[in-house]
Amino acid sequence: MGVYMMVFFFFEMSLVQLSLAHPLCTDSKAPFVQKTPLSFCGYSGSICCNSTQDALLKTQFQAINVSDSVCGSLLKSILCAKLSCQEPHDRCKPKPGPNMVGSDQPSCQSPGPGFAEFCFDALVDADTECRQKLLGTKSWSSFDLLVSASTNKLSETGLQRCDQFSAELFRIKSGPRDIPVLCNSTVSDNSTQSQQAATDYCSELWYKCQNISILNSPFSSQAGSQKQANTTAKLTDLWQSKNAFCNEFGGASIDGSVCFYGEQISFNSSKTPSPPNGMCLEKIGNGSYLNMVPHPDKSNRVFLSDQPGKIWLASVPEEESGEVLGLNEANPYLDLTDEVHADTELGMMGIAFHPNFQQNGRIFASFNCDKAKWPECSGRCACNSDVGCDPSKLGSDNGAQPCQYHAIIAEFTTNETASEPSLATSAKPTEVRRIFTMGLPYTSHHAGQILFGPEDGYLYFMMGDGGGTGDPNNFAQNKKSLLGKIMRLDIDNIPSARETSNLGSWGNYSIPGDNPYIEDTQLNPEIWALGFRNPWRCSFDYERPSYFLCADVGQDQYEEVDIVTKGGNFGWRVYEGPYLFNASQSLGGNTSASSINPIFPVMGYNHSEVNNAEGSASITGGYYYRSTTDPCMYGRYVYADLYAGGIWAGTESPDDSGNFTTVKLPISCASDSPIKCDLEAQSSRPALGYIFSFGEDNRKDVFILASSGVYRIARPSRCSYACSKENTTNNTRTGSAPPPPPLSSSWSMLRRPCEELMVAMLFSSQELAFR
């Protein structure tokens, strides 16, 4: 029996594709498109460094001073995958002047604070006198020493690499390294990287460079030796053999990871997998909800919340069991209807449970309130002088004064009568702490979803542009405004009231130390990403947490899905999806297209594609489907239109490339659905009404939260949709997905599943890609 269980375990594990790789730079930011190829490295298209940094790279290569051209060519390719984008000396921004080569170059005047792009170019091109002035009082006596110091300080100053997959090439999850993972001829069947990855690049580098003297060798730091300026070394001085060298620097292209073979990373142009033939649904509830969150105890329970302000604890039945949601509408887990102001785009917008909920019982609710009706609904107005906005000039909106309504995140806790938080069947309605309060200038576009990051444990808060046609105040592009942004907050380290006041915070939270304001000082510290109109439903991929997908509602033309990355600008209101947007009002000024590096959607649809009868469209974001219930949906991103004009599945092709194709799915309701589905007039299509949101349980089953009820994605054969991966002779959950954690209908807290313990034992010495 033990052998059988181990075989079963490894079979199931072989179905999992653990992956981090998608276009991402080492600073966790998205790559950008370089209009012209880099002159030294030759990289083009989507990359992670600019022409100024490319010039620095050329200088660094020259400083290495490799006499052998063949070895030099290999080292150049490695340096082109790796670049220091932060200079080791104080930042300066000299003004243009006559002493530099080229009239557009910085001058030799005293450096000031804020240099980012021209400092190294100035030093490269300057004459000796000018160079010394630029160096000022720094300890380097010559530019050669500065270049050496730059090379030595790479791991200390924050690294950037040119290749758009540099985050994976340099394995940033494992800690900093100076050399990318070099291909060692192993390419697994699961790898979608180009077959050039089968080249034994690591051995090639060893044989062609092992006896060549390299000045300030980039391999030294990983050899355990302390790098010093102007020192030379051969690979054989640092490594006893090729095997020892490649054990340190070599790696394979396996399970979605990538390795470096001397060129920009590319993927096989494989055929896009056939889309599912349709989506089968079963209806398990009649209620209308905005949020579904799986219970942190890994049981079959979920939390559901509605727009007026109630949260319920419900049990989810097995698929095809004929049972419905176990929910007592008359007995909510938490009732905040006295505090919440609910209207068309106002109400209880999000709920989240602390990652350590089972120990601390902390609950967070995001909702809107009306200060005219609730005295505790009071905070700073998002329209203020800091963002160049005067609320007295806005006028009323739908009968409400500017900043009459507020966006709030409040903390609550479970009822103390339970011995453990997971045993509680209710929460205390009294706020423990006000995390965030902000007055809203208009009555729409407030988003409001909250999520805890699966890896960092920080609270992500989605906020729309505040409303008004075309974001008239340009809040989404204003880096001092929190409107039109995704925020990232630390709610575990609460500052004192005095610190909160001094910092100008919007509540009781602190700022994560790696938020992008560290690199972009113009950004408000809370901001993680900007340029959103109304991000309506975001989710992290269960298997690849670096995939953070958000749907953003468009204005008149395009609905989009974005992969959100640190510091990313997603374009609104300069762009609506991939299209330039022409604003009719410019109360807050305009942002030019040339002044930003927008990140364009990976999926989406034009308004003309959906619901011509309604004449409208509004996207609802969903989830990467990771359940075994419908194996033909596995690994695809599911999203919909609010008006039920369509449900789409997005397929990444090739895998881990960041490129998606989408298909609009036929949908049907199972004839044996626990609750009979109403049908659209003269159609076999279920009448869903408005698709408000999606939900997910601990099995990773995906649910549609619609105005007509709660629907679960069911086995395709129940609606006569063909799926070759489905075992129709056996209703047990099999397919191309890992087994879900064992579920329990008990109210008690579960122990850690056996599968997780086995994984921990087998891989305790390795870092799994999905962590």
Side-chain angles (χ1 to χ4, degrees):
M1 181 65 179
V3 173
Y4 170 79
M5 287 300 295
M6 286 298 291
V7 170
F8 174 78
F9 169 74
F10 282 111
F11 169 75
E12 293 288 350
M13 283 300 296
S14 69
L15 299 174
V16 186
Q17 291 190 20
L18 309 179
S19 175
L20 170 69
H22 70 95
L24 195 68
C25 304
T26 54
D27 57 2
S28 297
K29 295 183 179 179
F32 55 88
V33 176
Q34 177 76 11
K35 294 180 180 179
T36 58
L38 299 178
S39 61
F40 176 65
C41 290
Y43 280 26
S44 61
S46 185
I47 57 178
C48 288
C49 57
N50 58 30
S51 57
T52 301
Q53 297 153 352
D54 182 58
L56 167 64
L57 195 58
K58 178 179 179 180
T59 304
Q60 290 177 327
F61 176 69
Q62 292 170 342
I64 289 176
N65 192 26
V66 180
S67 59
D68 184 88
S69 61
V70 176
C71 175
S73 177
L74 296 175
L75 291 177
K76 174 186 173 181
S77 70
I78 289 175
L79 286 177
C80 282
K82 168 179 179 288
L83 181 66
S84 172
C85 288
Q86 294 183 16
E87 58 285 350
H89 53 81
D90 292 343
R91 294 181 176 181
C92 57
K93 187 154 188 174
K95 298 178 181 179
N99 291 331
M100 302 304 298
V101 178
S103 59
D104 60 343
Q105 294 295 319
S107 76
C108 301
Q109 299 180 33
S110 300
F115 166 82
E117 248 182 65
F118 299 107
C119 198
F120 276 117
D121 273 355
L123 290 166
V124 171
D125 295 331
D127 56 32
T128 303
E129 180 182 0
C130 179
R131 187 178 299 151
Q132 289 175 348
K133 290 182 179 180
L134 283 173
L135 288 172
T137 59
K138 306 299 180 291
S139 59
W140 299 284
S141 59
S142 72
F143 180 58
D144 289 338
L145 284 180
L146 176 59
V147 172
S148 298
S150 170
T151 303
N152 290 337
K153 297 282 286 183
L154 287 176
S155 61
E156 300 173 28
T157 59
L159 298 180
Q160 184 61 287
R161 286 86 174 187
C162 290
D163 196 284
Q164 63 171 327
F165 290 92
S166 57
E168 180 62 14
L169 280 176
F170 288 83
R171 303 296 196 263
I172 61 171
K173 297 295 181 182
S174 304
R177 53 183 294 149
D178 284 352
I179 302 297
V181 175
L182 307 177
C183 291
N184 63 2
S185 78
T186 303
V187 179
S188 78
D189 292 337
N190 288 334
S191 175
T192 54
Q193 192 176 350
S194 166
Q195 288 301 308
Q196 288 174 285
T199 302
D200 195 346
Y201 189 76
C202 187
S203 294
E204 180 183 3
L205 180 68
W206 171 265
Y207 289 127
K208 292 180 178 178
C209 292
Q210 59 178 321
N211 293 314
I212 305 299
S213 295
I214 303 172
L215 180 65
N216 302 313
S217 173
F219 299 96
S220 298
S221 62
Q222 281 176 244
S225 61
Q226 187 172 357
K227 296 169 68 174
Q228 297 180 354
N230 293 327
T231 59
T232 60
K234 302 176 182 178
L235 296 185
T236 50
D237 295 335
L238 305 172
W239 308 95
Q240 294 182 349
S241 66
K242 188 265 295 185
N243 288 341
F245 176 78
C246 288
N247 282 341
E248 178 66 30
F249 296 105
S253 173
I254 57 173
D255 297 331
S257 298
V258 295
C259 61
F260 186 68
Y261 50 84
E263 301 176 12
Q264 276 185 274
I265 299 302
S266 63
F267 287 82
N268 295 325
S269 55
S270 57
K271 182 180 178 181
T272 302
S274 298
N277 288 310
M279 177 182 288
C280 184
L281 304 176
E282 66 168 358
K283 187 176 181 180
I284 61 171
N286 285 317
S288 177
Y289 310 100
L290 282 189
N291 298 280
M292 174 187 281
V293 178
H295 200 294
D297 69 357
K298 305 298 182 186
S299 72
N300 68 331
R301 297 181 297 163
V302 297
F303 292 96
L304 292 161
S305 69
D306 67 1
Q307 195 168 350
K310 290 183 180 180
I311 302 173
W312 288 272
L313 185 59
S315 60
V316 179
E318 291 277 349
E319 191 251 349
E320 208 172 357
S321 66
E323 298 179 2
V324 299
L325 276 174
L327 175 68
N328 184 352
E329 290 273 0
N331 187 26
Y333 184 84
L334 181 61
D335 185 348
L336 299 177
T337 51
D338 288 342
E339 292 85 359
V340 174
H341 176 79
D343 205 337
T344 305
E345 292 195 48
L346 298 164
M348 175 93 80
M349 295 290 111
I351 56 174
F353 295 79
H354 194 276
N356 294 324
F357 172 81
Q358 290 177 259
Q359 288 74 45
N360 59 33
R362 297 177 72 187
I363 305 163
F364 300 85
S366 167
F367 59 90
N368 303 120
C369 61
D370 183 352
K371 72 176 183 180
K373 297 179 180 179
W374 186 37
E376 293 181 44
C377 177
S378 181
R380 262 191 301 159
C381 184
C383 172
N384 56 59
S385 59
D386 291 343
V387 299
C389 181
D390 183 353
S392 68
K393 296 181 180 180
L394 295 184
S396 63
D397 183 32
N398 292 324
Q401 294 303 308
C403 293
Q404 177 178 332
Y405 301 131
H406 284 61
I408 278 178
I409 302 176
E411 179 180 343
F412 301 88
T413 188
T414 54
N415 198 315
E416 293 178 349
T417 59
S419 59
E420 297 175 0
S422 290
L423 299 177
T425 57
S426 65
K428 298 170 66 176
T430 305
E431 279 189 49
V432 174
R433 185 180 293 109
R434 179 70 57 85
I435 300 297
F436 185 94
T437 307
M438 182 172 71
L440 303 168
Y442 303 104
T443 59
S444 60
H445 302 177
H446 308 137
Q449 185 186 11
I450 50 177
L451 293 171
F452 280 100
E455 290 192 314
D456 57 29
Y458 294 127
L459 187 69
Y460 290 77
F461 182 27
M462 278 47 85
M463 176 56 64
D465 64 11
T469 301
D471 187 12
N473 298 88
N474 199 23
F475 286 131
Q477 288 297 321
N478 189 326
K479 294 183 178 182
K480 294 303 180 185
S481 172
L482 298 184
L483 295 170
K485 311 298 191 298
I486 291 177
M487 290 170 263
R488 182 174 180 251
L489 311 175
D490 181 350
I491 49 79
D492 287 324
N493 295 292
I494 307 298
S496 67
R498 175 176 293 182
E499 289 174 320
T500 298
S501 177
N502 291 340
L503 293 172
S505 300
W506 298 80
N508 294 299
Y509 57 83
S510 58
I511 303 297
D514 59 344
N515 270 13
Y517 82 100
I518 297 297
E519 293 91 18
D520 185 350
T521 56
Q522 296 300 311
L523 276 177
N524 257 12
E526 292 89 347
I527 296 172
W528 182 251
L530 69 153
F532 297 96
R533 184 173 180 269
N534 193 28
W536 189 250
R537 296 325 186 198
C538 305
S539 63
F540 291 91
D541 181 15
Y542 168 70
E543 291 187 5
R544 302 175 298 180
S546 63
Y547 276 62
F548 179 28
L549 273 70
C550 284
D552 194 22
V553 178
Q555 177 80 45
D556 298 314
Q557 190 170 9
Y558 195 82
E559 306 295 309
E560 67 185 82
V561 178
D562 302 300
I563 297 181
V564 177
T565 51
K566 175 182 179 181
N569 188 331
F570 293 86
W572 176 253
R573 70 173 191 171
V574 180
Y575 290 89
E576 181 182 358
Y579 307 111
L580 279 169
F581 180 79
N582 294 315
S584 59
Q585 298 184 72
S586 300
L587 303 179
N590 282 317
T591 301
S592 67
S594 60
S595 68
I596 65 172
N597 286 315
I599 300 172
F600 292 112
V602 294
M603 290 172 274
Y605 54 93
N606 289 292
H607 284 206
S608 58
E609 296 178 38
V610 299
N611 214 344
N612 291 327
E614 290 285 345
S616 186
S618 181
I619 196 169
T620 299
Y623 288 89
Y624 257 101
Y625 190 84
R626 295 299 183 187
S627 171
T628 59
T629 300
D630 183 348
C632 284
M633 280 294 301
Y634 184 78
R636 304 175 196 265
Y637 180 76
V638 184
Y639 61 101
D641 187 76
L642 170 69
Y643 299 99
I647 298 178
W648 287 264
T651 304
E652 194 176 17
S653 181
D655 287 345
D656 308 307
S657 65
N659 298 316
F660 289 80
T661 57
T662 61
V663 62
K664 191 175 180 180
L665 296 172
I667 59 173
S668 300
C669 189
S671 59
D672 59 349
S673 174
I675 301 174
K676 185 177 179 179
C677 297
D678 294 329
L679 302 180
E680 294 180 353
Q682 299 178 340
S683 171
S684 60
R685 180 186 172 96
L688 301 179
Y690 298 107
I691 300 178
F692 293 134
S693 189
F694 286 85
E696 190 180 55
D697 67 3
N698 281 310
R699 286 190 183 275
K700 303 306 171 188
D701 273 336
V702 171
F703 300 79
I704 295 173
L705 307 183
S707 59
S708 62
V710 179
Y711 300 81
R712 171 166 43 196
I713 298 178
R715 291 192 305 111
S717 59
R718 291 177 63 189
C719 294
S720 300
Y721 291 129
C723 173
S724 61
K725 299 178 182 179
E726 182 186 358
N727 182 358
T728 56
T729 61
N730 188 335
N731 289 346
T732 58
R733 294 172 180 246
T734 60
S736 55
L743 300 180
S744 169
S745 59
S746 167
W747 295 106
S748 63
M749 182 169 55
L750 297 179
R751 294 185 177 181
R752 190 179 188 191
C754 170
E755 291 89 342
E756 292 185 25
L757 291 174
M758 295 180 73
V759 172
M761 290 186 290
L762 289 169
F763 299 98
S764 60
S765 62
Q766 302 180 26
E767 175 164 336
L768 297 179
F770 60 72
R771 288 185 180 176

